[in-house]
Amino acid sequence: TAVHRHWVGGDWLEEVDRFIALNPFARRKFVEAGLAEDRLAVKPNFIPDPGAPTAPDARAGALFVGRLSFEKGVDTLIDAWQHIPHPLTVVGSGPEEARLRATAPANVTFLGAQPPEAVQREMARAKLLVVPSRWYENFPMTVVEAFAAGTPVVASRLGALAEIVTDGVDGYHFAPADPQDLAAVVNAAFADPARLEAASLGARATYERELTEARNLEMLERIYTDAITHRRQRGPAKG
């Protein structure tokens, strides 16, 4: 078929008017890999508005949501929590679960895998979401959910996370795979309630500005408009 010939021959790339990356970091990586810069647009993930965030004084502790595996950096998180007095709730399962449970301090609670509505409740109750990944993330839905809930994100200063989360505005950065730095950042955040509340407001503001359904539709429509314009300028597709 024509589709098969395009795929095997590699010329299918020339027939795509717009590629969509979830963040600027990924876009740069695609350009480095050889995709045409003028055909790469950026459009992040989004979620429906869950409603007004929970008040800061009704929140407690920190939260991790994700696969319990090496690349997610959960071992860094548990090592850091040896030096953090505040409670941590861990949602998820994975190959590292047994080892993490065995080494975690008493203020860490493991809930295992949970349905989306339970994750949303935990997100609304937490003062912080921690994303300690030691590999490149794209645009984690947990970050979108946290921002929508007005929950600041403590994230590895790595790849897209270093850009999705703005340090001191809607969350905090720490050095990847460094439990001492993570502990210092988390303890400093909890020690300054006024700054943490400001970060909570900043997280919700980021969601309202960039990650709502309406904003995402607006970005997608613009991408389609640009793609149609580009196609008209190029002429009819080959083959």
Side-chain angles (χ1 to χ4, degrees):
T1 65
V3 171
H4 179 71
R5 289 197 304 274
H6 284 316
W7 180 263
V8 173
D11 61 344
W12 63 273
L13 289 172
E14 298 305 316
E15 297 305 323
V16 178
D17 295 292
R18 283 294 179 274
F19 297 93
I20 298 176
L22 289 177
N23 59 76
F25 176 81
R27 182 179 187 274
R28 292 195 299 273
K29 287 297 182 184
F30 286 130
V31 172
E32 290 173 11
L35 291 183
E37 187 171 6
D38 64 349
R39 286 191 282 158
L40 270 162
V42 173
K43 184 187 73 64
N45 285 325
F46 70 98
I47 64 168
D49 192 343
T54 306
D57 58 2
R59 297 170 177 254
L63 176 68
F64 170 85
V65 179
R67 179 172 164 78
L68 305 186
S69 54
F70 177 79
E71 68 275 7
K72 292 295 187 179
V74 197
D75 57 324
T76 301
L77 178 65
I78 297 303
D79 288 347
W81 235 261
Q82 307 290 343
H83 310 285
I84 298 172
H86 306 277
L88 168 67
T89 299
V90 175
V91 176
S93 60
E96 296 286 298
E97 183 172 356
R99 185 177 69 83
L100 294 169
R101 284 179 178 268
T103 57
N107 59 340
V108 178
T109 301
F110 290 83
L111 299 184
Q114 295 291 319
E117 57 271 19
V119 173
Q120 185 174 335
R121 287 195 300 271
E122 294 298 329
M123 200 75 74
R125 294 170 180 165
K127 286 184 178 291
L128 291 169
L129 175 76
V130 186
V131 184
S133 298
R134 55 165 47 89
W135 71 348
Y136 290 156
E137 296 285 356
N138 206 343
F139 206 119
M141 290 302 297
T142 53
V143 173
V144 184
E145 292 164 357
F147 284 167
T151 305
V153 177
V154 179
S156 302
R157 192 184 300 109
L158 177 71
L161 288 173
E163 300 177 354
I164 294 170
V165 177
T166 303
D167 192 53
V169 175
D170 48 29
Y172 311 91
H173 294 157
F174 74 96
D178 187 336
Q180 289 76 27
D181 193 43
L182 174 54
V185 169
V186 170
N187 282 327
F190 279 116
D192 192 342
R195 186 166 177 252
L196 187 56
E197 183 172 354
S200 174
L201 295 173
R204 176 65 186 186
T206 296
Y207 168 75
E208 292 178 350
R209 184 178 62 252
E210 302 174 10
L211 306 172
T212 63
E213 290 178 299
R215 176 65 176 136
N216 205 269
L217 177 59
E218 177 186 314
M219 288 186 278
L220 184 60
E221 288 176 337
R222 184 183 304 123
I223 291 169
Y224 273 116
T225 298
D226 290 345
I228 292 168
T229 301
H230 182 261
R231 173 61 61 178
R232 287 171 176 167
Q233 291 171 345
R234 291 179 61 210
K238 299 176 183 179

